[in-house]
Amino acid sequence: MGFAAQAAPDATKANTLPPKPTVADVLKASKPSDWRALDPENTVYMDLPTGRVIMELAPAFAPATAANIRALVREKYFDGLFIIRSQDGFVVQWGDPDEENPKPFKAAKTVKEEFTVPIRDAAKAGAFTRLKDGDVYAPQVGHVNGFPVARDPARGETWLPHCYGMIGVARDNGYDSGNGSQLYVVIGHAPRHLDRNITVVGRIVHGMPLLSAQPRGTGAAGFYEKPEQRMPIQSVRIAADLPETERSKFEVMRTDSATYQAVVEAQRNRGGPWTKVATGKIDLCNAPIPVREQK
Amino acid sequence: MGFAAQAAPDATKANTLPPKPTVADVLKASKPSDWRALDPENTVYMDLPTGRVIMELAPAFAPATAANIRALVREKYFDGLFIIRSQDGFVVQWGDPDEENPKPFKAAKTVKEEFTVPIRDAAKAGAFTRLKDGDVYAPQVGHVNGFPVARDPARGETWLPHCYGMIGVARDNGYDSGNGSQLYVVIGHAPRHLDRNITVVGRIVHGMPLLSAQPRGTGAAGFYEKPEQRMPIQSVRIAADLPETERSKFEVMRTDSATYQAVVEAQRNRGGPWTKVATGKIDLCNAPIPVREQK
């Protein structure tokens, strides 16, 4: 008994909605031009004993932070560090667990805050495709180049929101103290109150279950209390630094395509025999951003 | 480097917001009358090899379904069944994995849909405390008796939304096919497009990590493909059926209390040295509903 079963309609219910394309139907009908490859310079592989996590950085929204993360990766800073935190319904975080004798690095120790960026700067990454559905936290929401985006035209500011799978840059109280050496990913309901308080630098495009299903830490804020509870990070690499043959091949749907609008509409208003009420609305963080492996 | 560190302000940032009570501060200052005990007749213990999950049913929002779940529990239907599904960013589900030779039960096989209930019926459970922040999906949102609630006064309808930790009743296409023998819990961003399409019957008040961190299933929709991947359910019991000494003792904050309003306000507008921007808004599913163990 699946609750999204695709079985034939049965006699016990009324008012069956007309069939509509599902997200899967829209993806199946998509054209090659509806997709873009990941940019190797902004694609980060984190190899864990359990498999590969793939992140895509969004430098238009955090140029200095993305550059510092690349520098950290290229000096192999993350190799041998750990998943150090798993807080239920909130975030999983990785980096150096040793606060007393931290692993040294050559990259910058402080990076200017990129909690928001000017809308005109982010426009370099592509068109803003607005969602018409409204948002509790921001005046406008939508997508740019395969990322969820929030913005405030009155202030001329835009930012990446804390949706599921988004990658944030842990910091101390200093606004410039987030240098990218500790990163976290959202694993629960979007903690949007963190938006504009912390730099968000990209998102996980593959391997999310390797992070989200990590056993929860039992220390304060979900930090692991014992070293053996931490999952080791084998290596972190920039895709551009690997030979073509060693790169994972993934594509992201172009969010400024008509096909993506059809994806959103399929999620906003579902039809068919199972659905009773087509919602008519979609929350920014419920809009799927399709990713597929290239054959 | 925790990103919610409570260290002293440092010199590198400007415009420090004035200190404000945190959620933890508000809880510490709460009075005994701000809390209510769980109702033993609506409290369900699911004992797993890894520990106890505690659910609270909300019969005012799903009276027939809650009654059928009680009947299933009292005939020990769930004992020896399994966690059968873990779909990343979506739900974890439990029940009988065997569709061909399902475990029989005496409780009702069909239960009338309780996707919404009349507002006047739900009022029996207590006052509706409205959030002023708006919502993408529903005309009004807020809380009733320790549960998040959405409602549409124009239609006279109210329903439990699919927030993190809420328990839904899996069904086939028939609206009355959800009998409570398969239940799921939301483990990702709230899939609110399911609201009003499925009966939501309560929420997990304790033990959420025992479900949310289950390894993801690799079959379609996150179902486990091999029997050994399923976690067994040792027993499911109604608290009222156990001797007092064997009951877990938990309390839920009264959501119609002034203290709960202070909790929401602490989350809506955070202050202190870490926060740069006090959001000023809260999404229904980001409003914490405090639970504590009685001493």
Side-chain angles (χ1 to χ4, degrees), chain A residues 60-61 118-127 144 158:
Chain A
F61 291 85
I119 286 176
R120 62 180 177 281
D121 292 1
K124 286 180 285 188
V144 172
T158 186

Side-chain angles (χ1 to χ4, degrees), chain B:
Chain B
M1 182 196 291
F3 74 86
Q6 296 296 318
D10 53 301
T12 57
K13 64 184 183 48
N15 305 318
T16 296
L17 292 175
K20 281 197 58 172
T22 64
V23 171
D25 294 334
V26 175
L27 296 187
K28 195 179 279 185
S30 67
K31 305 181 297 290
S33 61
D34 293 328
W35 302 83
R36 65 164 175 83
L38 299 179
D39 174 2
E41 189 68 14
N42 291 312
T43 302
V44 180
Y45 302 144
M46 179 161 67
D47 285 334
L48 303 173
T50 48
R52 176 171 283 184
V53 172
I54 306 180
M55 312 172 213
E56 186 173 38
L57 304 178
F61 290 84
T65 308
N68 211 51
I69 290 172
R70 279 190 218 98
L72 286 160
V73 171
R74 284 177 166 144
E75 61 178 287
K76 299 187 169 48
Y77 169 73
F78 292 101
D79 297 19
L81 294 181
F82 299 90
I83 311 291
I84 58 174
R85 177 187 188 194
S86 173
Q87 184 171 2
D88 196 60
F90 194 42
V91 300
V92 162
Q93 188 167 327
W94 57 95
D96 187 351
D98 192 339
E99 294 199 15
E100 292 187 13
N101 294 294
K103 181 175 179 175
F105 55 85
K106 299 190 194 99
K109 307 299 177 290
T110 59
V111 176
K112 67 170 181 171
E113 60 166 278
E114 295 175 312
F115 305 164
T116 69
V117 293
I119 287 176
R120 64 179 176 280
D121 291 0
K124 286 180 283 187
F128 173 69
T129 308
R130 189 173 169 185
L131 287 174
K132 64 187 177 186
D133 307 84
D135 185 71
V136 171
Y137 292 95
Q140 294 185 358
V141 293
H143 296 86
V144 172
N145 193 35
F147 292 93
V149 166
R151 60 187 213 168
D152 184 347
R155 300 177 63 96
E157 293 176 347
T158 185
W159 60 93
L160 297 178
H162 277 80
C163 291
Y164 191 86
M166 296 296 284
I167 302 164
V169 179
R171 68 167 172 92
D172 289 324
N173 283 341
Y175 297 162
D176 63 356
S177 62
N179 52 43
S181 64
Q182 287 215 6
L183 299 169
Y184 63 88
V185 61
V186 173
I187 62 161
H189 190 76
R192 298 278 306 277
H193 49 280
L194 298 179
D195 289 5
R196 298 182 289 155
N197 278 298
I198 203 159
T199 300
V200 178
V201 72
R203 73 176 187 119
I204 306 288
V205 291
H206 183 75
M208 192 58 197
L210 302 180
L211 299 173
S212 60
Q214 282 292 303
R216 306 311 181 215
T218 50
F223 281 89
Y224 293 117
E225 295 180 283
K226 296 175 186 167
E228 62 268 27
Q229 295 169 323
R230 300 176 191 133
M231 173 169 282
I233 297 170
Q234 294 175 327
S235 71
V236 178
R237 296 289 180 270
I238 307 289
D241 297 346
L242 297 181
E244 283 262 6
T245 53
E246 292 176 30
R247 295 184 196 166
S248 302
K249 300 276 188 289
F250 284 86
E251 295 181 314
V252 176
M253 180 162 277
R254 294 183 190 275
T255 47
D256 58 354
S257 66
T259 299
Y260 187 65
Q261 295 312 301
V263 166
V264 170
E265 180 55 22
Q267 183 77 348
R268 184 189 280 130
N269 282 305
R270 308 209 295 182
W274 189 86
T275 303
K276 182 177 182 187
V277 178
T279 308
K281 295 280 186 176
I282 194 164
D283 178 83
L284 171 64
C285 297
N286 272 327
I289 303 172
V291 172
R292 69 178 185 185
E293 193 159 11
Q294 288 168 275
K295 302 298 173 193

